[in-house]
Every structure is written in C-alpha cells, then in structure tokens.
Amino acid sequence: MPLRKPDDFYREGSKVFRKAPANRESIRGWASIAAGKARDALNRDNSTSTRLGAAYDAVFNLSLAVVCAEGWRCTAADGHHAQALEAACAFAGLTEGVFDEMDAVRDLRNNQYDGIAPSERDVEFALQAMNRLVPVLLQRHQSRPGSG
C-alpha cells in the first residue's frame, strides 16, 4: 500500500490535517528545532531516553515542516504523530520500509509511557533512522517555494 498524504487521510475522515498556506516562520522554527534535537540525539552525555526522544523529535519536526510547505497543518488530533511522519515520507518519495523504521522508533519512544527505558541498541536504531530521514526531509522542505 503506498504511503498516504494529508489529502488521503482527510478523505478517510482523519482530523489530523487542515489546509493552510505555508508559513515560513513556522517552517524555519521546525527546522531549527530539528537541528537542535539532532545534536541532542548525537550527544553521548545525554541519557538513552533523551537521545532516542531527540532523534525521533528531529524527524517529527522536519515532518511538520514538510507538511506545512505542502499547504497543510498538523493538528493535535489522535494519530497526529504517525500521520505526519507518513505524509512527510510520502511527499519526500520515501519507501514504506523507511517509514516503517521511523514508526518503529516512535513505538520505542512511546515505551516511556510504560516505564521502559531505551537500550543503547534502541538509540543506535533511532540514530540510523534519523540519519536516513533527516537529509531527505531537509532537501524536500528546502525545495518547496513556501519553505523560506
């Protein structure tokens, strides 16, 4: 099944996305947040929980930038993380397998809600996914006219 974009989710009844003009200030903000999160993810002085969460957040924030540059805003409706990641991967022309890896990082991140700390192996997996996605998402969002 091909990855879905916001209009696909919208047609399916999702409340996660709404049409909105690209907002250059928000896009720059998300890109800046992503850069800081990527640095935090790579900092071995940080805990495994901080590093894994930061790797995930770097990709998630760039996903918001990509979606916004395409004329959509993400709401806080249920499922917004998974749908924003999928939509950004779809816009960037990534494969379902690449999305599935980042979705697995999202699952590892969510283990914190069950009191489960990530292992070093989990962090390495998250860093590999981040390093695969960040350059592609940066290129995609920078290539859009509304990206500023």
Side-chain angles (χ1 to χ4, degrees), residues 54-76:
Y56 173 81
D57 287 345
V59 173
F60 179 69
N61 278 277
L62 281 178
S63 295
L64 295 174
V66 166
V67 167
C68 185
E70 296 288 343
W72 293 90
R73 287 300 285 245
C74 188
T75 70

Side-chain angles (χ1 to χ4, degrees), residues 16-54:
V16 168
F17 298 105
R18 63 178 171 79
K19 288 293 282 174
N23 181 314
R24 289 180 181 178
E25 187 174 327
S26 292
I27 292 168
R28 280 193 297 272
W30 285 315
S32 176
I33 292 167
K37 292 291 188 171
R39 284 190 300 276
D40 290 343
L42 295 169
N43 183 348
R44 290 193 165 276
D45 290 335
N46 287 330
S47 68
T48 57
S49 178
T50 295
R51 294 178 69 212
L52 187 135

Side-chain angles (χ1 to χ4, degrees), residues 97-140:
V98 173
F99 163 71
D100 287 344
E101 285 180 11
M102 200 63 221
D103 200 44
V105 173
R106 184 179 62 83
D107 288 339
L108 290 170
R109 174 191 166 270
N110 288 344
N111 282 340
Q112 68 185 327
Y113 301 115
D114 292 323
I116 301 169
S119 67
E120 278 296 333
R121 185 173 176 196
D122 294 337
V123 172
E124 289 306 315
F125 177 74
L127 291 174
Q128 289 173 1
M130 179 187 80
N131 288 332
R132 186 176 355 272
L133 277 156
V134 164
V136 177
L137 295 179
L138 272 174
Q139 181 181 22
R140 176 63 188 196

